[in-house]
């Protein structure tokens, strides 16, 4: 399903990881977290390269604001896209 990440990463809503999207930025989010964009229209999940995104938009924008700017690569939807969060395994 998600070939860019190793197996065993569970994706969950940010609240499950106690991540506050209104406060966290790409710069403040702990490095163990990965971001996945989820489209409510076609249900596509797409991994985000948070480092590349940070270079593009800066690391001081809140994740809540970034979510508003997401565009689905599957269907082009721009409304109500949201982030899911995964935690990299420590190994
Ligand atoms: Zn979509």
């Amino acid at each position: 399903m998600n070939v860019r990440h190793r197996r065993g990463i569970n994706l969950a809503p940010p609240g499950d990881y106690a991540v506050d999207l209104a406060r966290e930025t790409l710069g403040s989010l702990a490095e163990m977290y990965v971001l996945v964009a989820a489209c409510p229209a076609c249900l596509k999940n797409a991994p985000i390269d948070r480092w590349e995104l940070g270079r593009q938009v800066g690391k001081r924008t809140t994740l809540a604001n970034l979510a508003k700017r997401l565009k689905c690569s599957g269907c082009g939807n721009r409304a109500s896209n949201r982030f899911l969060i995964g935690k990299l395994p420590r190994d």
Side-chain angles (χ1 to χ4, degrees):
M1 195 171 81
N2 181 345
V3 296
R4 291 181 64 193
H5 295 136
R6 283 169 287 178
R7 286 175 300 166
I9 295 183
N10 292 318
L11 296 176
D16 286 16
Y17 289 111
V19 171
D20 182 352
L21 295 188
R23 272 193 21 211
E24 298 280 1
T25 67
L26 289 170
S28 71
L29 186 68
E31 293 194 8
M32 64 184 167
Y33 292 126
V34 296
L35 288 172
V36 172
C39 172
C42 71
L43 305 181
K44 178 184 172 76
N45 284 355
I48 301 279
D49 184 335
R50 55 178 288 192
W51 312 111
E52 176 61 27
L53 187 62
R55 282 188 287 273
Q56 289 175 8
V57 304
K59 293 183 178 176
R60 300 177 66 175
T61 307
T62 63
L63 298 181
N65 281 328
L66 285 178
K68 294 174 190 164
R69 295 165 60 176
L70 294 174
K71 179 186 176 188
C72 178
S73 60
C75 71
N77 171 55
R78 291 175 180 271
S80 301
N81 290 306
R82 59 198 180 90
F83 283 124
L84 295 175
I85 288 185
K87 202 179 200 176
L88 293 173
R90 291 175 175 273
D91 57 10

